[in-house]
Amino acid sequence: MCGIAGGIALSTNRRPDPDKVRTMAGLLAHRGPDGEGLWISPSGRACLAHRRLSVIDIAGGGQPMVDGSGTRGIVFNGEIYNYLELRDALARDGETFRTSSDTEVLLRLVTRDGEECVEALGGMFAFVAWDDEKGTLVAARDRIGKKPLFFVMEDGCLYFASSLGALRAGIGGTRALDAEALDRYLALGYIPAPRTIYQGICKLPAATVMMSHRDSVVLRRYWDIAAEPEPLEGSYEQAMDRLEELLETAVRIRLRSDVPLGIMLSGGIDSSLVTALAVRQSAHPVDTFSIGFGERSYDESDQAAEVARHLGARHHILRLESDLTGLIPRAVAHFGEPYADSSALPSWALAGLARRHVTVALGGDGGDEGFSGYEWYATARRLGDWASRIPRGPVRAAASAATAAGLLGNARRIGRFARGLGFLAAEDFGARFAALRCCLGAGEAAFLYRRSIAARAELRRQDAEQSIRSAFRRASGSPLRKMRYADLETYLADDLMPKIDVASMAHGLEVRAPLLDHAVVRFGLSLPDEYLVDERGGKRILRDLLLRYLPRPLIERPKRGFTVPLAPWFRGGLRPRIESLAGSERLRGLGLFDPSGIRRLADEHIAGARDHSQRLYALLVLDQWLEASAAGAVDPNLVREAAE
């Protein structure tokens, strides 16, 4: 696990600036505290830099790694979990190796197969490889999007880095904000790929390979499970057996490490199952880690401790008696752009706890998308049932009237009523699901944005919904499968994966997710709905599989989710900070918001009329990000111009 950076001249008469690359690499030191390296190709057209967190082949796995000819080099962030199997296959074909690292295996595969090498890779990765003789570039991200890669074209060169902040600082200068990206942030709480908050700087999307083509680059998606696979044959018990086999393999290959390894254990189904499989397969005692909150309704640490005790793991708890919002400035600096998933704060704290003991940790991410764990799937189904029984025309009229009344402030709960009617009035299931997954609805946007830009802002907000709706429509199968696929494509790839990567790598911790093994994900999306949902809720098959390892009382308990108590914090000790948002000169300077709209959000939340905690947190983070960017990194006037 590492940080990578570099510059590559896509035309023969250009050369990247090594000083820019060195600057980027220096800002990635937290991702790779164990070593650094820089390679300039013989022609000077490629400059690759690496910061290393040593996990596999500590002595021989340094990067950038260059082949024996000295003309082909690679920088790689992540882990290729099946590298031993790939190495054996390459050796049978006559390849010899100088190291025992997965990086050398990847370099040999890229040299032999080019862009097609990604088909064989199992793991999490972002890599950039350059062939100086051919003048060709191959770069890629893993199927799920666990490892990031940001890039920009400057003066005929492609510059890239593992973090947005490092890339922006390396290329220097004032950057214009992307107004459409900002609107998507407010609608979703994150900025989906390929956009970033800056115009011209992009994220390479998940499951995408990038190749040089003349003086530019082309992108190709190499993995997609939108199409429904062949129907699963066999009984429910046989499906459980097959899932157990897949998870045992996924856990086993993720236990490969030359440094201490532990598990992030919340006490829920997903992390408990990962812990059970890891304890059974590990040759060493397993350390587990969890967070405890002062607000008992949000605290699962006792449950996690019971699970660890039953499984025989050594458990560590970090108890947090105060709010975590003091972490926001540090988190903002590491994300490099506005990011409003508040669960990043406990993830950050938990990663810090784990890093005191281990260098690698397994986690339970992926169970909700792969096996139907989110409550909003049931909510969407209920809305679909209601919508099928209600004439759409009258509902649309009622929704419009309720929205107008809400804008005039005629009722405390009219906004919520209008939002619910808006879901019912949507034209199809996919549209209702997309609206449900946005944290800023049309009603709130109408009073939050300035009237002069409200129409354009609403179109951009609808674009955010459309990205989710498009993913839903692209998938085959039942509505439940379509929703899960849409979440994998959007929420998981662009929200949850950056959260885990940034929060963990800020502490130099590598996190691995067995439930996001692509074979496990594919299997999960092949299951019929009745294997996933029963009267207890979602994740039926995971829950029943876990009964092979834990007693029922430790499993059949409500899951609170890895969330923080924003709502009471914003009505309590953080109330003054929330009330001050309406007067923020930084937010006002963007030229996007009506201060009275921000004040309305705060007043309704504090009064208990509506829970606006997610929307207020998004504004709080945006305000903090603008403050951090005030030293010339961002020109807010360019946002105003783009908005108008």
Side-chain angles (χ1 to χ4, degrees):
M1 190 67 66
C2 312
I4 63 175
I8 292 177
L10 296 177
S11 58
T12 57
N13 61 345
R14 299 285 185 176
R15 295 294 180 270
D17 184 345
D19 288 337
K20 291 183 177 182
V21 176
R22 290 187 182 97
T23 297
M24 290 187 283
L27 292 171
L28 295 171
H30 59 282
R31 296 184 68 96
D34 298 331
E36 60 183 314
L38 182 80
W39 176 65
I40 298 176
S41 70
S43 71
R45 287 181 60 186
C47 179
L48 307 182
H50 187 261
R51 295 290 314 208
R52 188 182 186 202
L53 178 66
S54 300
V55 174
I56 298 292
D57 189 7
I58 295 173
Q63 297 184 47
M65 188 169 285
V66 183
D67 74 353
S69 72
T71 62
R72 301 182 187 93
I74 191 169
V75 282
F76 158 51
N77 169 30
E79 301 288 347
I80 306 301
Y81 299 129
N82 63 334
Y83 79 101
L84 292 178
E85 291 79 5
L86 293 172
R87 179 190 172 101
D88 289 343
L90 287 167
R92 288 193 296 271
D93 288 341
E95 294 279 356
T96 58
F97 294 86
R98 296 178 290 112
T99 74
S100 57
S101 72
D102 55 347
T103 306
E104 187 178 9
V105 173
L106 178 57
L107 177 58
R108 300 300 179 87
L109 282 172
V110 176
T111 300
R112 189 187 72 177
D113 301 334
E115 65 177 274
E116 300 300 327
C117 73
V118 293
E119 304 292 346
L121 302 179
M124 54 181 180
F125 55 84
F127 70 82
V128 177
W130 172 254
D131 187 322
D132 209 45
E133 289 184 347
K134 297 179 180 178
T136 55
L137 158 78
V138 177
R141 282 183 73 199
D142 62 75
R143 295 170 178 83
I144 306 298
K146 299 171 191 171
K147 294 292 100 185
L149 191 64
F150 300 88
F151 67 94
V152 65
M153 291 295 300
E154 289 276 314
D155 299 324
C157 294
L158 176 82
Y159 288 96
F160 64 88
S162 293
S163 84
L164 177 58
L167 179 59
R168 197 217 57 76
I171 59 178
T174 299
R175 307 296 301 186
L177 297 194
D178 185 332
E180 292 189 34
L182 185 54
D183 286 323
R184 292 191 179 210
Y185 162 74
L186 292 167
L188 299 170
Y190 59 89
I191 298 173
R195 294 184 181 277
T196 71
I197 192 62
Y198 300 108
Q199 292 183 24
I201 301 181
C202 301
K203 304 179 180 95
L204 186 65
T208 299
V209 61
M210 176 169 62
M211 299 83 66
S212 54
H213 180 69
R214 297 193 179 97
D215 294 342
S216 62
V217 294
V218 293
L219 275 60
R220 176 180 70 84
R221 178 164 184 148
Y222 65 87
W223 189 74
D224 192 1
I225 50 176
E228 195 168 18
E230 291 295 319
L232 181 73
E233 295 183 359
S235 67
Y236 179 68
E237 284 292 328
Q238 289 172 322
M240 272 205 296
D241 292 341
R242 177 57 180 154
L243 176 58
E244 187 173 35
E245 291 173 3
L246 290 171
L247 286 174
E248 284 178 339
T249 299
V251 169
R252 184 181 69 253
I253 61 178
R254 284 163 179 80
L255 290 174
R256 292 171 175 171
S257 173
D258 295 333
V259 294
L261 182 149
I263 302 173
M264 292 179 166
L265 174 62
S266 70
I269 293 170
D270 305 335
S271 62
S272 296
L273 184 54
V274 168
T275 302
L277 292 168
V279 167
R280 190 169 79 170
Q281 298 187 75
S282 176
H284 308 285
V286 172
D287 289 279
T288 54
F289 308 93
S290 67
I291 291 285
F293 290 100
E295 292 85 355
R296 298 301 298 173
S297 61
Y298 288 81
D299 185 21
E300 292 183 305
S301 60
D302 290 344
Q303 181 173 332
E306 288 184 54
V307 170
R309 190 179 306 114
H310 184 88
L311 294 173
R314 298 181 301 203
H315 194 56
H316 309 263
I317 301 176
L318 176 64
R319 296 207 173 273
L320 304 167
E321 300 301 331
S322 60
D323 71 74
L324 290 166
T325 51
L327 294 175
I328 291 177
R330 292 172 60 196
V332 163
H334 280 269
F335 278 100
E337 66 182 354
Y339 175 82
D341 188 334
S342 60
S343 66
L345 302 180
S347 296
W348 186 289
L350 182 58
L353 168 66
R355 188 61 176 92
R356 299 175 201 166
H357 303 270
V358 299
T359 307
V360 178
L362 272 60
D365 299 287
D368 290 309
E369 295 84 4
F371 298 91
S372 189
Y374 291 126
E375 292 182 1
W376 54 71
Y377 297 148
T379 300
R381 288 196 300 272
R382 286 194 297 270
L383 286 170
D385 291 341
W386 295 339
S388 65
R389 302 169 191 161
I390 301 174
R392 188 167 290 118
V395 172
R396 285 178 175 164
S400 298
T403 298
L407 289 173
L408 297 173
N410 291 337
R412 292 174 62 184
R413 299 187 183 275
I414 279 179
R416 182 186 301 170
F417 179 60
R419 190 165 168 81
L421 286 174
F423 292 149
L424 296 178
E427 62 188 31
D428 58 28
F429 198 112
R432 284 189 293 275
F433 178 68
L436 187 67
R437 297 297 293 117
C438 286
C439 60
L440 186 70
E444 297 89 6
F447 65 75
L448 181 61
Y449 284 99
R450 290 193 299 120
R451 289 187 180 275
S452 61
I453 66 166
R456 183 172 296 180
E458 173 58 16
L459 288 175
R460 290 173 175 167
R461 191 197 65 79
Q462 291 176 9
D463 285 343
E465 287 189 7
Q466 180 59 36
S467 64
I468 300 173
R469 187 187 312 186
S470 295
F472 181 95
R473 290 175 173 171
R474 193 163 63 249
S476 60
S478 70
L480 179 59
R481 185 182 188 277
K482 289 171 174 282
M483 288 188 288
R484 292 155 56 219
Y485 173 81
D487 273 342
L488 283 163
E489 287 287 293
T490 58
Y491 178 61
L492 182 79
D494 293 322
D495 182 325
L496 298 187
M497 292 299 94
K499 175 188 74 175
I500 296 301
D501 176 77
V502 171
S504 61
M505 293 309 296
H507 301 278
L509 177 75
E510 174 179 316
V511 175
R512 303 172 174 179
L515 285 163
L516 286 175
D517 184 281
H518 67 275
V520 174
V521 172
R522 179 182 291 278
F523 182 79
L525 263 71
S526 76
L527 296 174
D529 292 357
E530 60 268 24
Y531 285 11
L532 301 170
V533 180
D534 61 12
E535 67 280 358
R536 300 168 297 176
K539 293 198 276 198
R540 174 193 173 192
I541 193 168
L542 288 182
R543 193 187 308 264
D544 290 345
L545 179 57
L546 186 56
L547 285 171
R548 297 179 178 180
Y549 301 91
L550 288 176
R552 190 175 298 274
L554 287 183
I555 299 172
E556 302 292 347
R557 294 190 283 193
K559 180 75 173 80
R560 300 182 183 95
F562 203 45
T563 58
V564 294
L566 286 181
W569 287 352
F570 287 173
R571 296 186 183 108
L574 289 175
R575 175 173 173 173
R577 182 72 178 88
I578 295 305
E579 290 178 323
S580 71
L581 288 173
S584 167
E585 290 300 323
R586 293 180 291 272
L587 293 178
R588 189 188 302 268
L590 290 175
L592 299 175
F593 305 118
D594 183 341
S596 66
I598 299 177
R599 189 174 301 111
R600 174 174 169 176
L601 287 177
D603 289 346
E604 288 185 355
H605 182 85
I606 292 167
R610 294 185 66 189
D611 183 356
H612 289 302
S613 54
Q614 176 58 39
R615 302 173 191 103
L616 290 168
Y617 184 73
L619 291 170
L620 177 64
V621 169
L622 177 58
D623 187 53
Q624 181 67 53
W625 182 80
L626 290 168
E627 180 180 17
S629 303
V634 174
D635 184 353
N637 291 325
L638 295 176
V639 179
R640 184 192 298 270
E641 293 171 7
E644 297 179 345

